[in-house]
Structure formats: structure tokens, C-alpha cells
Amino acid sequence: ETALSNQKYGFISGALKETYTAAKNLRNSLGDKIDAIVTHRVWGYPIFFAIMWLMFYSTFELGSYPQGWIEMGVEWLYNAVRGVMEAGALRDMLTDGVISGVGSVLVFLPNIMILYLFISFLEDSGYLARAAFIMDKVMHRMGVHGKSFIPMVMGFGCNVPAVMACRTIECRTSRLITIMVVPFMSCSARLPIYMMIVGTFFPQYAGTTLFLLYVLGMLLAVVSARLMR
């Protein structure tokens, strides 16, 4: 066996000498310099949060304009159908059921499209993998993947696109756990309800109570992720 192994490795060594040409190992290329900055133990986090802020701002602020156009279009179609058709069960089904129901879903379409555009850009540029590398240690303590951080933070804006953003998580278990815990993140739609509850029952400590509601949601997400893992 030793003689056969030596013969095989001798043949491989001879073939490599005749055919293999060592390439120059390009150190300190542009990609290496960018990696050194975006994955830096100090500067990596501010860059990451700045990019996340830009993504959230674009998703919900820029998306508000087409959202308004869709709401106006749905309202116009609603009034047009009600004006043409006679009162009855069929008109109510079309206007209050089909048009209002589909319209309430279409409102999220601009947010989802802008969000997917940003996620696709971050994914194709390679930054999403580097962001997951930065947050991987923290997320693994929760029992999920590093990529789970982006949908969870996105849940503070809206849980619907946040759940859909979980498609970037390759691990099926981590993806399902992230989908399950994202609703614990208090989205902007819950803020009016929180304000009503806090203003009614805790008027003297409204700010502190509102902050604690958000913190409670995050703690429940952490505990639930650990339990499900």
C-alpha cells in the first residue's frame, strides 16, 4: 500500500511540474480593502447600520408615494363601481370584498418591490454575506442565522416585507424560526394602538412604557427563538 501511494503521488507531482503554473496571489486588491472596512470590528457596525437605515428609509418613505397613488386608484374604482351598480349583495361583494380586499394588499406592493430591489443589490454585491458575518455571533446566541438580523430589524417598519425578506436565509430551520419571531417586532402599524393604551393607562410614564413595550417584544423574540431552536 505504501509503494502504491508513493507511485500515485509521484505521478501527480510529475504531472503538476509539467502542467501547473502558480498564479500570483494578489494581496491588498480593491475587494480586500473594501472587506477590511465593511467587516472591521469597529467601523463595520456603523457602516452596517447606515446601510440598513438607508434601506428602511427608501422602503417606507419612497414607497409612501406609490402607496398613495394605489390608494387613490382603489378609492376611485370603489366609488365608480358603487355609482354604476345598483345596491345589493353583488355590489357589496365587489366593492367591500374584492376591491377593498385586493386594494389593502396592493398597498404593500411598492414597499415589497423597493425592499427586494435593495436586498437584491446587497446580495449581488456581496455585502449581505458580510453583514451576516458581522452579526453572526449575536444571532447565533439567539439560535438563528446571521442573516436573520436584517428581517428582524426590518420588522420594526412593517412585518409583512420583513417576513418576505426571510427568503434570503438559506438554512430552512433558521428561516422558519425567523419568520415565527419577526411578528414580535413592533411594526409601525401597532404604534397608534400602543399610543392609545399608554396614554390611557400610563399617562405619567408614557415614553418609558412605550419604550418598554418595544423592548418586551425584542426579549420575547430572543426567548422564542431559543426555545424553538
Side-chain angles (χ1 to χ4, degrees):
E1 291 180 358
T2 304
L4 288 174
S5 299
N6 290 335
Q7 186 178 4
K8 290 179 180 179
Y9 282 108
F11 175 78
I12 293 171
S13 178
L16 286 174
K17 287 182 179 179
E18 294 178 4
T19 58
Y20 176 69
T21 303
K24 293 182 180 180
N25 192 2
L26 298 175
R27 294 287 182 180
N28 295 324
S29 63
L30 179 61
D32 293 330
K33 293 177 181 178
I34 294 174
D35 282 345
I37 297 173
V38 298
T39 61
H40 194 270
R41 61 192 309 175
V42 177
W43 299 112
Y45 290 98
I47 294 172
F48 172 74
F49 288 115
I51 293 176
M52 290 299 102
W53 176 85
L54 178 62
M55 183 168 65
F56 299 149
Y57 179 85
S58 301
T59 300
F60 296 103
E61 292 296 327
L62 298 182
S64 63
Y65 297 104
Q67 273 186 334
W69 302 335
I70 292 174
E71 289 176 352
M72 291 171 59
V74 171
E75 184 179 0
W76 175 84
L77 183 61
Y78 179 90
N79 294 328
V81 173
R82 289 188 68 89
V84 172
M85 296 183 64
E86 296 182 358
L90 180 60
R91 190 186 73 172
D92 293 338
M93 183 188 71
L94 289 175
T95 55
D96 298 328
V98 177
I99 296 175
S100 298
V102 174
S104 62
V105 176
L106 286 177
V107 169
F108 290 107
L109 187 62
N111 297 121
I112 294 170
M113 292 179 65
I114 295 173
L115 178 64
Y116 274 0
L117 179 65
F118 267 88
I119 291 177
S120 298
F121 174 75
L122 294 177
E123 198 171 9
D124 293 340
S125 66
Y127 182 75
L128 201 60
R130 287 153 180 80
F133 171 77
I134 295 172
M135 300 302 301
D136 192 61
K137 188 174 182 180
V138 178
M139 291 291 104
H140 272 290
R141 290 181 179 178
M142 287 179 56
V144 293
H145 194 271
K147 287 186 177 180
S148 302
F149 179 77
I150 296 174
M152 291 178 69
V153 175
M154 205 171 295
F156 288 109
C158 182
N159 289 164
V160 176
V163 170
M164 299 186 72
C166 294
R167 68 178 183 83
T168 59
I169 304 171
E170 291 86 359
C171 177
R172 182 176 183 273
T173 304
S174 295
R175 183 167 64 250
L176 290 175
I177 293 176
T178 307
I179 290 171
M180 297 287 280
V181 301
V182 158
F184 284 115
M185 302 295 124
S186 299
C187 66
S188 57
R190 300 177 198 174
L191 188 58
I193 309 300
Y194 285 171
M195 295 295 290
M196 181 188 69
I197 295 173
V198 168
T200 303
F201 296 102
F202 310 99
Q204 296 180 350
Y205 307 99
T208 304
T209 307
L210 184 62
F211 172 74
L212 291 177
L213 284 173
Y214 277 82
V215 173
L216 179 62
M218 289 185 283
L219 291 177
L220 286 173
V222 173
V223 173
S224 299
R226 291 288 297 177
L227 289 174
M228 282 187 279
R229 170 61 68 176

